[in-house]
Amino acid sequence: MNAPATTPLRQSRTGKRVIDIPKGVSVTLTSTTVSVKGPRGESQRALPGGADVVLDGTKLTVSPVLAGRDGSRMQGLTRALIACMVKGVSDGYTRGLQLVGTGYRAEVKGAKLVLNVGYSHQIHFDIPKGLKIEIPADSKGTALNLSCHDKEIIGQAAAKIRAYREPEPYGGKGIRYMGEKVRVKAGKSSGKGK
């Protein structure tokens, strides 16, 4: 009787790529967590599991430990999370928001972002720790530049600010990402076809 053939571990196309650690960035690995420290800040995250992470000098490799699709999925996820952390602490992430509408303005007051976006009241947004919000002087309060070392924090903050007044489809008024194309619908014309 033959022994059952062991199935080879599947490799993720993203996950098998080596992560190069740039100068000035240090990576610390434990069995369950990864910590990355660099000039822009420090990030720590619990590893999702299902993948083996090996640090060799300035190279970091991720390999699957589970058989089948689950192994390659967890390998790709783990590699993507660590690569985002490395890029964030070395280069940082930026996101731009634009306020479109009459009287729409933003102002940073201490640790809060104050928004005037067409409501009867101002909106006060608590700026998360590690996130920096700048308002260019030439924009007159209608543009926001967000910067952070953590991709998750900056993405969540930008989405939350945009959700206070999403662009509406008729006039295009609202808060939009910089460079976002908003499809504007034609308004209803009364008495059409008469």
Side-chain angles (χ1 to χ4, degrees):
M1 199 167 149
N2 294 336
T6 57
T7 56
L9 295 174
R10 290 179 64 167
Q11 293 272 342
S12 161
R13 279 183 292 183
T14 303
K16 65 184 176 184
R17 293 198 314 233
V18 175
I19 302 170
D20 292 313
I21 310 297
K23 263 188 176 178
V25 175
S26 62
V27 178
T28 309
L29 287 169
T30 69
S31 58
T32 56
T33 60
V34 59
S35 298
V36 185
K37 193 173 184 180
R40 298 287 177 125
E42 188 175 353
S43 291
Q44 187 172 356
R45 179 183 286 277
L47 291 169
D52 188 30
V53 184
V54 177
L55 179 64
D56 182 21
T58 60
K59 306 260 184 216
L60 199 140
T61 53
V62 181
S63 53
V65 294
L66 299 172
R69 285 185 175 178
D70 287 340
S72 61
R73 286 177 184 153
M74 297 314 289
Q75 178 194 17
L77 172 66
T78 305
R79 194 252 176 220
L81 291 172
I82 296 172
C84 285
M85 290 169 71
V86 170
K87 186 182 180 231
V89 298
S90 59
D91 302 329
Y93 290 98
T94 57
R95 198 77 157 113
L97 291 170
Q98 189 176 7
L99 281 66
V100 178
T102 307
Y104 284 23
R105 296 284 177 271
E107 188 182 357
V108 177
K109 289 184 178 177
K112 287 185 184 288
L113 174 70
V114 181
L115 297 166
N116 292 302
V117 285
Y119 295 116
S120 60
H121 59 281
Q122 293 180 328
I123 293 168
H124 296 268
F125 173 73
D126 293 320
I127 301 170
K129 191 179 177 184
L131 180 72
K132 189 177 178 185
I133 299 179
E134 291 177 337
I135 300 170
D138 58 343
S139 72
K140 296 180 182 175
T142 60
L144 301 170
N145 291 331
L146 283 69
S147 59
C148 186
H149 69 280
D150 193 317
K151 191 176 185 180
E152 196 174 329
I153 291 173
I154 194 171
Q156 188 64 45
K160 197 169 179 184
I161 293 168
R162 184 182 181 274
Y164 287 129
R165 179 68 91 173
E166 290 186 5
E168 51 100 4
Y170 291 102
K173 292 196 299 185
I175 304 171
R176 62 179 77 174
Y177 296 120
M178 206 65 79
E180 180 183 359
K181 298 273 191 291
V182 176
R183 289 182 65 185
V184 179
K185 296 179 182 177
K188 293 177 183 175
S189 53
S190 60
K192 194 174 181 183
K194 286 187 179 177

